[in-house]
Amino acid sequence: GAPGGAAPASREDLEALGAGALKRLARTHEVDVSGCVEKAHLVDALRNAKAPLPEDHPKRTLAEAAKTPEAEMKQAMPVFLDAMLRVSLVDVHETLQKVVARVLADEAASVDDRRKRAAALRVFSKALYAAKTAARDTPAGLEKGDTEATAKRFEHAMNVTMAAAMGQELSENHGEEMPDADGGRGGEGA
């Protein structure tokens, strides 16, 4: 294929370019055109090298822009998921800070009760740390290249989020059951 992943230019497209543009294209793709006297020779040399159209050529930019929305979404999904995860982590962190402050500073509870709460929070934090370590070792849904299952879970999460955002009433356990790798239902209700 052509350098950079672009398709090789057709003979007709190259013939439509001027001699100067053909020479620039040859320099860009390191095609030796020192023996080319005629424009047709330049076209032949570029075709033999499978050079693509210049990056700013209208046909090339249109072809790259013609990606389907689905393909663009799949390409952008890792960045989007990472951003969602980071927002969620910030939210969890801030919520935990507030909860810990309220639970441990509750003067209505005895000192002994607050110590028990602190011990329970320590157990909870160890569980969160263990889950974080396990997730780092094996990213959820991505083990063994299982991107299809991850995409289904992502789609399910987006549907639940959109339904809630539009004010649709959801059952108490809605969203707990996630699609499994076969597209069926996994989780507690399976």
Side-chain angles (χ1 to χ4, degrees):
S10 70
R11 177 171 299 283
E12 296 76 29
D13 288 336
L14 290 172
E15 287 173 347
L17 297 174
L22 292 171
K23 288 178 184 177
R24 281 191 300 278
L25 189 60
R27 273 193 305 275
T28 300
H29 296 288
E30 300 175 356
V31 177
D32 180 21
V33 291
S34 58
C36 299
V37 180
E38 306 275 332
K39 181 178 172 181
H41 299 148
L42 293 170
V43 169
D44 290 339
L46 289 165
R47 287 285 295 150
N48 289 338
K50 298 184 179 175
L53 287 169
E55 288 185 15
D56 60 347
H57 191 278
K59 279 193 175 181
R60 183 159 170 193
T61 54
L62 283 174
E64 291 172 1
K67 293 179 181 174
T68 66
E70 182 180 333
E72 288 178 3
M73 185 176 126
K74 283 183 180 180
Q75 183 180 4
M77 191 181 299
V79 174
F80 184 68
L81 289 174
D82 186 59
M84 285 180 52
L85 175 64
R86 290 178 190 280
V87 168
S88 297
L89 290 175
V90 167
D91 185 46
V92 167
H93 179 77
E94 290 175 356
T95 302
L96 283 175
Q97 280 184 321
K98 290 176 186 175
V99 167
V100 168
R102 286 186 182 160
V103 165
L104 296 180
D106 181 8
E107 292 183 15
S110 69
V111 173
D112 190 46
D113 284 344
R114 283 187 274 171
R115 282 190 180 122
K116 288 177 184 175
R117 290 176 179 181
L121 285 171
R122 179 171 284 159
V123 170
F124 179 64
S125 69
K126 286 181 181 179
L128 285 179
Y129 184 78
K132 172 187 169 187
T133 303
R136 189 178 330 132
D137 294 341
T138 308
L142 295 179
E143 59 272 72
K144 299 177 188 169
D146 192 7
T147 55
E148 187 176 330
T150 301
K152 287 180 182 178
R153 286 194 294 272
F154 172 73
E155 183 178 349
H156 176 74
M158 288 300 294
N159 289 339
V160 170
T161 303
M162 293 304 293
M166 292 188 297
Q168 295 179 4
E169 288 193 32
L170 304 174
S171 65
E172 217 173 280
N173 63 349
H174 191 88
E176 290 179 12
E177 294 183 19
M178 299 291 258
D180 59 23
D182 299 325
R185 293 289 186 188
E188 297 170 6

mmCIF file of all heavy atoms in Angstrom, residues 74-121:
data_model
loop_
_atom_site.group_PDB
_atom_site.id
_atom_site.type_symbol
_atom_site.label_atom_id
_atom_site.label_comp_id
_atom_site.label_asym_id
_atom_site.label_seq_id
_atom_site.Cartn_x
_atom_site.Cartn_y
_atom_site.Cartn_z
ATOM 1 N N LYS A 74 -16.047 4.053 17.401
ATOM 2 C CA LYS A 74 -15.163 2.986 17.850
ATOM 3 C C LYS A 74 -13.738 3.485 18.003
ATOM 4 O O LYS A 74 -13.031 3.097 18.928
ATOM 5 C CB LYS A 74 -15.208 1.804 16.878
ATOM 6 C CG LYS A 74 -16.444 0.952 17.037
ATOM 7 C CD LYS A 74 -16.424 -0.240 16.120
ATOM 8 C CE LYS A 74 -17.686 -1.073 16.301
ATOM 9 N NZ LYS A 74 -17.692 -2.240 15.435
ATOM 10 N N GLN A 75 -13.311 4.366 17.103
ATOM 11 C CA GLN A 75 -11.957 4.904 17.169
ATOM 12 C C GLN A 75 -11.801 5.812 18.390
ATOM 13 O O GLN A 75 -10.766 5.805 19.045
ATOM 14 C CB GLN A 75 -11.644 5.676 15.895
ATOM 15 C CG GLN A 75 -10.231 6.211 15.849
ATOM 16 C CD GLN A 75 -9.952 6.967 14.560
ATOM 17 O OE1 GLN A 75 -10.839 7.154 13.735
ATOM 18 N NE2 GLN A 75 -8.729 7.396 14.400
ATOM 19 N N ALA A 76 -12.834 6.571 18.719
ATOM 20 C CA ALA A 76 -12.767 7.513 19.829
ATOM 21 C C ALA A 76 -13.103 6.864 21.172
ATOM 22 O O ALA A 76 -12.875 7.467 22.217
ATOM 23 C CB ALA A 76 -13.719 8.680 19.567
ATOM 24 N N MET A 77 -13.642 5.643 21.165
ATOM 25 C CA MET A 77 -14.111 5.009 22.388
ATOM 26 C C MET A 77 -13.054 4.926 23.489
ATOM 27 O O MET A 77 -13.356 5.260 24.645
ATOM 28 C CB MET A 77 -14.691 3.623 22.111
ATOM 29 C CG MET A 77 -15.418 3.057 23.315
ATOM 30 S SD MET A 77 -16.110 1.423 23.062
ATOM 31 C CE MET A 77 -17.245 1.682 21.742
ATOM 32 N N PRO A 78 -11.819 4.515 23.221
ATOM 33 C CA PRO A 78 -10.849 4.436 24.324
ATOM 34 C C PRO A 78 -10.635 5.775 25.025
ATOM 35 O O PRO A 78 -10.556 5.828 26.243
ATOM 36 C CB PRO A 78 -9.568 3.957 23.643
ATOM 37 C CG PRO A 78 -10.033 3.247 22.417
ATOM 38 C CD PRO A 78 -11.276 3.980 21.971
ATOM 39 N N VAL A 79 -10.559 6.852 24.267
ATOM 40 C CA VAL A 79 -10.361 8.175 24.873
ATOM 41 C C VAL A 79 -11.594 8.564 25.680
ATOM 42 O O VAL A 79 -11.489 9.064 26.803
ATOM 43 C CB VAL A 79 -10.078 9.231 23.777
ATOM 44 C CG1 VAL A 79 -10.015 10.631 24.359
ATOM 45 C CG2 VAL A 79 -8.782 8.891 23.056
ATOM 46 N N PHE A 80 -12.772 8.306 25.128
ATOM 47 C CA PHE A 80 -14.025 8.628 25.811
ATOM 48 C C PHE A 80 -14.159 7.826 27.098
ATOM 49 O O PHE A 80 -14.509 8.368 28.150
ATOM 50 C CB PHE A 80 -15.203 8.355 24.862
ATOM 51 C CG PHE A 80 -16.533 8.732 25.428
ATOM 52 C CD1 PHE A 80 -16.859 10.056 25.641
ATOM 53 C CD2 PHE A 80 -17.455 7.763 25.757
ATOM 54 C CE1 PHE A 80 -18.090 10.411 26.173
ATOM 55 C CE2 PHE A 80 -18.687 8.092 26.289
ATOM 56 C CZ PHE A 80 -19.007 9.433 26.493
ATOM 57 N N LEU A 81 -13.870 6.533 27.037
ATOM 58 C CA LEU A 81 -13.962 5.687 28.228
ATOM 59 C C LEU A 81 -12.968 6.136 29.291
ATOM 60 O O LEU A 81 -13.297 6.156 30.483
ATOM 61 C CB LEU A 81 -13.724 4.221 27.864
ATOM 62 C CG LEU A 81 -14.833 3.543 27.068
ATOM 63 C CD1 LEU A 81 -14.407 2.144 26.661
ATOM 64 C CD2 LEU A 81 -16.119 3.500 27.854
ATOM 65 N N ASP A 82 -11.774 6.498 28.876
ATOM 66 C CA ASP A 82 -10.782 6.973 29.826
ATOM 67 C C ASP A 82 -11.266 8.251 30.505
ATOM 68 O O ASP A 82 -11.138 8.402 31.726
ATOM 69 C CB ASP A 82 -9.441 7.212 29.122
ATOM 70 C CG ASP A 82 -8.343 7.572 30.096
ATOM 71 O OD1 ASP A 82 -8.070 6.757 31.001
ATOM 72 O OD2 ASP A 82 -7.771 8.668 29.960
ATOM 73 N N ALA A 83 -11.856 9.159 29.722
ATOM 74 C CA ALA A 83 -12.372 10.402 30.303
ATOM 75 C C ALA A 83 -13.511 10.115 31.276
ATOM 76 O O ALA A 83 -13.571 10.699 32.369
ATOM 77 C CB ALA A 83 -12.846 11.339 29.194
ATOM 78 N N MET A 84 -14.415 9.202 30.901
ATOM 79 C CA MET A 84 -15.522 8.843 31.798
ATOM 80 C C MET A 84 -14.987 8.233 33.090
ATOM 81 O O MET A 84 -15.479 8.540 34.180
ATOM 82 C CB MET A 84 -16.474 7.865 31.108
ATOM 83 C CG MET A 84 -17.360 8.513 30.076
ATOM 84 S SD MET A 84 -18.482 7.354 29.254
ATOM 85 C CE MET A 84 -19.274 6.524 30.590
ATOM 86 N N LEU A 85 -14.000 7.372 32.975
ATOM 87 C CA LEU A 85 -13.420 6.743 34.152
ATOM 88 C C LEU A 85 -12.797 7.792 35.066
ATOM 89 O O LEU A 85 -13.002 7.771 36.275
ATOM 90 C CB LEU A 85 -12.371 5.711 33.745
ATOM 91 C CG LEU A 85 -11.604 5.065 34.901
ATOM 92 C CD1 LEU A 85 -12.553 4.250 35.778
ATOM 93 C CD2 LEU A 85 -10.494 4.198 34.371
ATOM 94 N N ARG A 86 -12.069 8.726 34.487
ATOM 95 C CA ARG A 86 -11.423 9.758 35.303
ATOM 96 C C ARG A 86 -12.463 10.638 36.005
ATOM 97 O O ARG A 86 -12.289 10.981 37.176
ATOM 98 C CB ARG A 86 -10.472 10.596 34.453
ATOM 99 C CG ARG A 86 -9.259 9.809 34.027
ATOM 100 C CD ARG A 86 -8.326 10.618 33.128
ATOM 101 N NE ARG A 86 -7.309 9.776 32.564
ATOM 102 C CZ ARG A 86 -6.209 9.391 33.194
ATOM 103 N NH1 ARG A 86 -6.001 9.771 34.425
ATOM 104 N NH2 ARG A 86 -5.321 8.624 32.594
ATOM 105 N N VAL A 87 -13.540 10.989 35.324
ATOM 106 C CA VAL A 87 -14.605 11.772 35.954
ATOM 107 C C VAL A 87 -15.230 10.975 37.091
ATOM 108 O O VAL A 87 -15.473 11.504 38.186
ATOM 109 C CB VAL A 87 -15.675 12.187 34.914
ATOM 110 C CG1 VAL A 87 -16.921 12.730 35.576
ATOM 111 C CG2 VAL A 87 -15.095 13.221 33.949
ATOM 112 N N SER A 88 -15.477 9.703 36.854
ATOM 113 C CA SER A 88 -16.052 8.847 37.887
ATOM 114 C C SER A 88 -15.125 8.731 39.091
ATOM 115 O O SER A 88 -15.572 8.773 40.239
ATOM 116 C CB SER A 88 -16.350 7.451 37.337
ATOM 117 O OG SER A 88 -17.317 7.525 36.328
ATOM 118 N N LEU A 89 -13.832 8.590 38.844
ATOM 119 C CA LEU A 89 -12.877 8.474 39.939
ATOM 120 C C LEU A 89 -12.829 9.743 40.780
ATOM 121 O O LEU A 89 -12.756 9.679 42.009
ATOM 122 C CB LEU A 89 -11.486 8.138 39.405
ATOM 123 C CG LEU A 89 -11.322 6.736 38.830
ATOM 124 C CD1 LEU A 89 -9.933 6.561 38.212
ATOM 125 C CD2 LEU A 89 -11.575 5.679 39.881
ATOM 126 N N VAL A 90 -12.885 10.890 40.128
ATOM 127 C CA VAL A 90 -12.910 12.158 40.865
ATOM 128 C C VAL A 90 -14.171 12.229 41.716
ATOM 129 O O VAL A 90 -14.128 12.599 42.891
ATOM 130 C CB VAL A 90 -12.821 13.362 39.895
ATOM 131 C CG1 VAL A 90 -13.153 14.667 40.600
ATOM 132 C CG2 VAL A 90 -11.433 13.425 39.274
ATOM 133 N N ASP A 91 -15.305 11.829 41.140
ATOM 134 C CA ASP A 91 -16.565 11.844 41.874
ATOM 135 C C ASP A 91 -16.517 10.897 43.073
ATOM 136 O O ASP A 91 -16.929 11.266 44.180
ATOM 137 C CB ASP A 91 -17.723 11.462 40.945
ATOM 138 C CG ASP A 91 -19.069 11.582 41.627
ATOM 139 O OD1 ASP A 91 -19.319 12.603 42.293
ATOM 140 O OD2 ASP A 91 -19.869 10.629 41.499
ATOM 141 N N VAL A 92 -16.000 9.696 42.875
ATOM 142 C CA VAL A 92 -15.890 8.734 43.970
ATOM 143 C C VAL A 92 -14.963 9.285 45.055
ATOM 144 O O VAL A 92 -15.267 9.219 46.246
ATOM 145 C CB VAL A 92 -15.381 7.361 43.449
ATOM 146 C CG1 VAL A 92 -14.960 6.457 44.598
ATOM 147 C CG2 VAL A 92 -16.457 6.695 42.604
ATOM 148 N N HIS A 93 -13.849 9.853 44.648
ATOM 149 C CA HIS A 93 -12.888 10.402 45.601
ATOM 150 C C HIS A 93 -13.531 11.501 46.453
ATOM 151 O O HIS A 93 -13.414 11.500 47.683
ATOM 152 C CB HIS A 93 -11.666 10.946 44.849
ATOM 153 C CG HIS A 93 -10.630 11.559 45.725
ATOM 154 N ND1 HIS A 93 -9.748 10.818 46.464
ATOM 155 C CD2 HIS A 93 -10.352 12.862 46.000
ATOM 156 C CE1 HIS A 93 -8.957 11.623 47.151
ATOM 157 N NE2 HIS A 93 -9.309 12.871 46.888
ATOM 158 N N GLU A 94 -14.221 12.452 45.792
ATOM 159 C CA GLU A 94 -14.860 13.548 46.526
ATOM 160 C C GLU A 94 -15.968 13.035 47.440
ATOM 161 O O GLU A 94 -16.101 13.495 48.581
ATOM 162 C CB GLU A 94 -15.409 14.589 45.547
ATOM 163 C CG GLU A 94 -14.306 15.366 44.842
ATOM 164 C CD GLU A 94 -14.834 16.308 43.777
ATOM 165 O OE1 GLU A 94 -16.059 16.322 43.507
ATOM 166 O OE2 GLU A 94 -14.009 17.033 43.190
ATOM 167 N N THR A 95 -16.747 12.074 46.965
ATOM 168 C CA THR A 95 -17.822 11.504 47.784
ATOM 169 C C THR A 95 -17.247 10.803 49.002
ATOM 170 O O THR A 95 -17.742 10.977 50.124
ATOM 171 C CB THR A 95 -18.679 10.535 46.954
ATOM 172 O OG1 THR A 95 -19.217 11.239 45.836
ATOM 173 C CG2 THR A 95 -19.803 9.939 47.776
ATOM 174 N N LEU A 96 -16.197 10.014 48.803
ATOM 175 C CA LEU A 96 -15.578 9.313 49.932
ATOM 176 C C LEU A 96 -14.997 10.287 50.957
ATOM 177 O O LEU A 96 -15.095 10.060 52.164
ATOM 178 C CB LEU A 96 -14.503 8.351 49.446
ATOM 179 C CG LEU A 96 -15.006 7.049 48.847
ATOM 180 C CD1 LEU A 96 -13.855 6.226 48.287
ATOM 181 C CD2 LEU A 96 -15.778 6.240 49.869
ATOM 182 N N GLN A 97 -14.404 11.380 50.493
ATOM 183 C CA GLN A 97 -13.877 12.375 51.427
ATOM 184 C C GLN A 97 -14.992 12.929 52.311
ATOM 185 O O GLN A 97 -14.832 13.048 53.526
ATOM 186 C CB GLN A 97 -13.201 13.520 50.673
ATOM 187 C CG GLN A 97 -11.804 13.201 50.206
ATOM 188 C CD GLN A 97 -11.145 14.393 49.541
ATOM 189 O OE1 GLN A 97 -11.785 15.149 48.812
ATOM 190 N NE2 GLN A 97 -9.854 14.558 49.782
ATOM 191 N N LYS A 98 -16.133 13.243 51.703
ATOM 192 C CA LYS A 98 -17.269 13.788 52.463
ATOM 193 C C LYS A 98 -17.821 12.753 53.438
ATOM 194 O O LYS A 98 -18.115 13.064 54.592
ATOM 195 C CB LYS A 98 -18.367 14.260 51.509
ATOM 196 C CG LYS A 98 -18.001 15.494 50.714
ATOM 197 C CD LYS A 98 -19.076 15.850 49.713
ATOM 198 C CE LYS A 98 -18.646 17.004 48.821
ATOM 199 N NZ LYS A 98 -19.632 17.266 47.776
ATOM 200 N N VAL A 99 -17.971 11.519 52.956
ATOM 201 C CA VAL A 99 -18.514 10.452 53.806
ATOM 202 C C VAL A 99 -17.596 10.198 54.998
ATOM 203 O O VAL A 99 -18.050 10.122 56.147
ATOM 204 C CB VAL A 99 -18.734 9.157 52.987
ATOM 205 C CG1 VAL A 99 -18.989 7.968 53.897
ATOM 206 C CG2 VAL A 99 -19.880 9.335 52.011
ATOM 207 N N VAL A 100 -16.311 10.073 54.734
ATOM 208 C CA VAL A 100 -15.361 9.802 55.812
ATOM 209 C C VAL A 100 -15.389 10.935 56.837
ATOM 210 O O VAL A 100 -15.426 10.682 58.047
ATOM 211 C CB VAL A 100 -13.936 9.583 55.247
ATOM 212 C CG1 VAL A 100 -12.891 9.601 56.343
ATOM 213 C CG2 VAL A 100 -13.894 8.276 54.469
ATOM 214 N N ALA A 101 -15.397 12.170 56.371
ATOM 215 C CA ALA A 101 -15.427 13.301 57.297
ATOM 216 C C ALA A 101 -16.676 13.266 58.166
ATOM 217 O O ALA A 101 -16.603 13.466 59.384
ATOM 218 C CB ALA A 101 -15.350 14.613 56.519
ATOM 219 N N ARG A 102 -17.828 12.980 57.557
ATOM 220 C CA ARG A 102 -19.086 12.953 58.327
ATOM 221 C C ARG A 102 -19.144 11.759 59.275
ATOM 222 O O ARG A 102 -19.577 11.886 60.417
ATOM 223 C CB ARG A 102 -20.279 12.923 57.383
ATOM 224 C CG ARG A 102 -20.515 14.264 56.728
ATOM 225 C CD ARG A 102 -21.768 14.272 55.900
ATOM 226 N NE ARG A 102 -21.908 15.560 55.256
ATOM 227 C CZ ARG A 102 -22.659 15.786 54.202
ATOM 228 N NH1 ARG A 102 -23.357 14.785 53.684
ATOM 229 N NH2 ARG A 102 -22.737 16.976 53.674
ATOM 230 N N VAL A 103 -18.721 10.595 58.802
ATOM 231 C CA VAL A 103 -18.800 9.381 59.618
ATOM 232 C C VAL A 103 -17.854 9.467 60.811
ATOM 233 O O VAL A 103 -18.201 9.075 61.925
ATOM 234 C CB VAL A 103 -18.495 8.134 58.757
ATOM 235 C CG1 VAL A 103 -18.217 6.909 59.607
ATOM 236 C CG2 VAL A 103 -19.645 7.864 57.808
ATOM 237 N N LEU A 104 -16.665 10.000 60.600
ATOM 238 C CA LEU A 104 -15.694 10.036 61.682
ATOM 239 C C LEU A 104 -15.855 11.247 62.598
ATOM 240 O O LEU A 104 -15.393 11.224 63.735
ATOM 241 C CB LEU A 104 -14.271 9.991 61.120
ATOM 242 C CG LEU A 104 -13.904 8.711 60.370
ATOM 243 C CD1 LEU A 104 -12.472 8.787 59.860
ATOM 244 C CD2 LEU A 104 -14.113 7.473 61.224
ATOM 245 N N ALA A 105 -16.480 12.290 62.121
ATOM 246 C CA ALA A 105 -16.632 13.502 62.927
ATOM 247 C C ALA A 105 -18.013 13.611 63.569
ATOM 248 O O ALA A 105 -18.347 14.643 64.146
ATOM 249 C CB ALA A 105 -16.349 14.726 62.056
ATOM 250 N N ASP A 106 -18.803 12.569 63.487
ATOM 251 C CA ASP A 106 -20.162 12.569 64.038
ATOM 252 C C ASP A 106 -20.089 12.576 65.565
ATOM 253 O O ASP A 106 -19.838 11.543 66.186
ATOM 254 C CB ASP A 106 -20.926 11.347 63.531
ATOM 255 C CG ASP A 106 -22.349 11.287 64.037
ATOM 256 O OD1 ASP A 106 -22.806 12.264 64.666
ATOM 257 O OD2 ASP A 106 -23.005 10.251 63.805
ATOM 258 N N GLU A 107 -20.302 13.732 66.162
ATOM 259 C CA GLU A 107 -20.194 13.844 67.624
ATOM 260 C C GLU A 107 -21.364 13.205 68.341
ATOM 261 O O GLU A 107 -21.321 13.019 69.559
ATOM 262 C CB GLU A 107 -20.020 15.305 68.012
ATOM 263 C CG GLU A 107 -18.670 15.843 67.549
ATOM 264 C CD GLU A 107 -18.427 17.276 67.982
ATOM 265 O OE1 GLU A 107 -19.145 17.775 68.870
ATOM 266 O OE2 GLU A 107 -17.497 17.880 67.423
ATOM 267 N N ALA A 108 -22.419 12.867 67.611
ATOM 268 C CA ALA A 108 -23.553 12.180 68.236
ATOM 269 C C ALA A 108 -23.197 10.725 68.553
ATOM 270 O O ALA A 108 -23.829 10.113 69.400
ATOM 271 C CB ALA A 108 -24.773 12.235 67.326
ATOM 272 N N ALA A 109 -22.183 10.198 67.858
ATOM 273 C CA ALA A 109 -21.737 8.816 68.104
ATOM 274 C C ALA A 109 -20.655 8.828 69.180
ATOM 275 O O ALA A 109 -19.869 9.779 69.275
ATOM 276 C CB ALA A 109 -21.207 8.206 66.823
ATOM 277 N N SER A 110 -20.605 7.761 69.930
ATOM 278 C CA SER A 110 -19.582 7.658 70.977
ATOM 279 C C SER A 110 -18.208 7.484 70.335
ATOM 280 O O SER A 110 -18.089 7.116 69.161
ATOM 281 C CB SER A 110 -19.893 6.470 71.895
ATOM 282 O OG SER A 110 -19.696 5.258 71.183
ATOM 283 N N VAL A 111 -17.164 7.707 71.117
ATOM 284 C CA VAL A 111 -15.798 7.540 70.641
ATOM 285 C C VAL A 111 -15.587 6.092 70.202
ATOM 286 O O VAL A 111 -14.955 5.819 69.173
ATOM 287 C CB VAL A 111 -14.779 7.946 71.731
ATOM 288 C CG1 VAL A 111 -13.360 7.606 71.305
ATOM 289 C CG2 VAL A 111 -14.898 9.430 72.030
ATOM 290 N N ASP A 112 -16.132 5.155 70.952
ATOM 291 C CA ASP A 112 -16.002 3.730 70.609
ATOM 292 C C ASP A 112 -16.670 3.434 69.254
ATOM 293 O O ASP A 112 -16.102 2.718 68.424
ATOM 294 C CB ASP A 112 -16.615 2.859 71.714
ATOM 295 C CG ASP A 112 -16.291 1.393 71.521
ATOM 296 O OD1 ASP A 112 -15.106 1.078 71.242
ATOM 297 O OD2 ASP A 112 -17.223 0.558 71.611
ATOM 298 N N ASP A 113 -17.865 4.002 69.034
ATOM 299 C CA ASP A 113 -18.555 3.809 67.745
ATOM 300 C C ASP A 113 -17.751 4.411 66.595
ATOM 301 O O ASP A 113 -17.670 3.837 65.507
ATOM 302 C CB ASP A 113 -19.956 4.414 67.785
ATOM 303 C CG ASP A 113 -20.940 3.569 68.569
ATOM 304 O OD1 ASP A 113 -20.632 2.381 68.812
ATOM 305 O OD2 ASP A 113 -22.021 4.100 68.925
ATOM 306 N N ARG A 114 -17.152 5.571 66.842
ATOM 307 C CA ARG A 114 -16.355 6.198 65.784
ATOM 308 C C ARG A 114 -15.105 5.367 65.481
ATOM 309 O O ARG A 114 -14.683 5.283 64.333
ATOM 310 C CB ARG A 114 -15.990 7.629 66.163
ATOM 311 C CG ARG A 114 -17.192 8.574 65.976
ATOM 312 C CD ARG A 114 -16.818 9.992 66.173
ATOM 313 N NE ARG A 114 -16.911 10.298 67.606
ATOM 314 C CZ ARG A 114 -16.497 11.412 68.174
ATOM 315 N NH1 ARG A 114 -15.943 12.351 67.446
ATOM 316 N NH2 ARG A 114 -16.627 11.604 69.455
ATOM 317 N N ARG A 115 -14.536 4.735 66.496
ATOM 318 C CA ARG A 115 -13.388 3.839 66.258
ATOM 319 C C ARG A 115 -13.813 2.641 65.414
ATOM 320 O O ARG A 115 -13.079 2.205 64.531
ATOM 321 C CB ARG A 115 -12.799 3.379 67.588
ATOM 322 C CG ARG A 115 -11.944 4.416 68.243
ATOM 323 C CD ARG A 115 -11.170 3.851 69.423
ATOM 324 N NE ARG A 115 -10.364 4.903 69.996
ATOM 325 C CZ ARG A 115 -10.447 5.293 71.266
ATOM 326 N NH1 ARG A 115 -11.278 4.679 72.094
ATOM 327 N NH2 ARG A 115 -9.688 6.261 71.697
ATOM 328 N N LYS A 116 -14.997 2.101 65.715
ATOM 329 C CA LYS A 116 -15.512 0.977 64.912
ATOM 330 C C LYS A 116 -15.742 1.424 63.470
ATOM 331 O O LYS A 116 -15.455 0.677 62.525
ATOM 332 C CB LYS A 116 -16.815 0.444 65.522
ATOM 333 C CG LYS A 116 -16.616 -0.316 66.818
ATOM 334 C CD LYS A 116 -17.941 -0.754 67.395
ATOM 335 C CE LYS A 116 -17.754 -1.427 68.752
ATOM 336 N NZ LYS A 116 -19.054 -1.757 69.361
ATOM 337 N N ARG A 117 -16.278 2.617 63.302
ATOM 338 C CA ARG A 117 -16.479 3.155 61.944
ATOM 339 C C ARG A 117 -15.143 3.286 61.225
ATOM 340 O O ARG A 117 -15.024 2.968 60.032
ATOM 341 C CB ARG A 117 -17.183 4.509 62.011
ATOM 342 C CG ARG A 117 -18.624 4.442 62.443
ATOM 343 C CD ARG A 117 -19.193 5.836 62.570
ATOM 344 N NE ARG A 117 -20.588 5.817 62.957
ATOM 345 C CZ ARG A 117 -21.322 6.909 63.121
ATOM 346 N NH1 ARG A 117 -20.783 8.098 62.937
ATOM 347 N NH2 ARG A 117 -22.584 6.812 63.480
ATOM 348 N N ALA A 118 -14.140 3.793 61.940
ATOM 349 C CA ALA A 118 -12.817 3.963 61.336
ATOM 350 C C ALA A 118 -12.248 2.610 60.909
ATOM 351 O O ALA A 118 -11.664 2.481 59.829
ATOM 352 C CB ALA A 118 -11.879 4.659 62.315
ATOM 353 N N ALA A 119 -12.438 1.586 61.748
ATOM 354 C CA ALA A 119 -11.957 0.243 61.400
ATOM 355 C C ALA A 119 -12.699 -0.283 60.168
ATOM 356 O O ALA A 119 -12.095 -0.903 59.287
ATOM 357 C CB ALA A 119 -12.141 -0.707 62.586
ATOM 358 N N ALA A 120 -14.003 -0.035 60.109
ATOM 359 C CA ALA A 120 -14.785 -0.469 58.943
ATOM 360 C C ALA A 120 -14.332 0.257 57.679
ATOM 361 O O ALA A 120 -14.230 -0.348 56.604
ATOM 362 C CB ALA A 120 -16.272 -0.240 59.196
ATOM 363 N N LEU A 121 -14.034 1.549 57.806
ATOM 364 C CA LEU A 121 -13.534 2.298 56.649
ATOM 365 C C LEU A 121 -12.179 1.776 56.196
ATOM 366 O O LEU A 121 -11.888 1.748 55.002
ATOM 367 C CB LEU A 121 -13.449 3.794 56.978
ATOM 368 C CG LEU A 121 -14.785 4.531 57.014
ATOM 369 C CD1 LEU A 121 -14.593 5.942 57.558
ATOM 370 C CD2 LEU A 121 -15.419 4.581 55.634
#
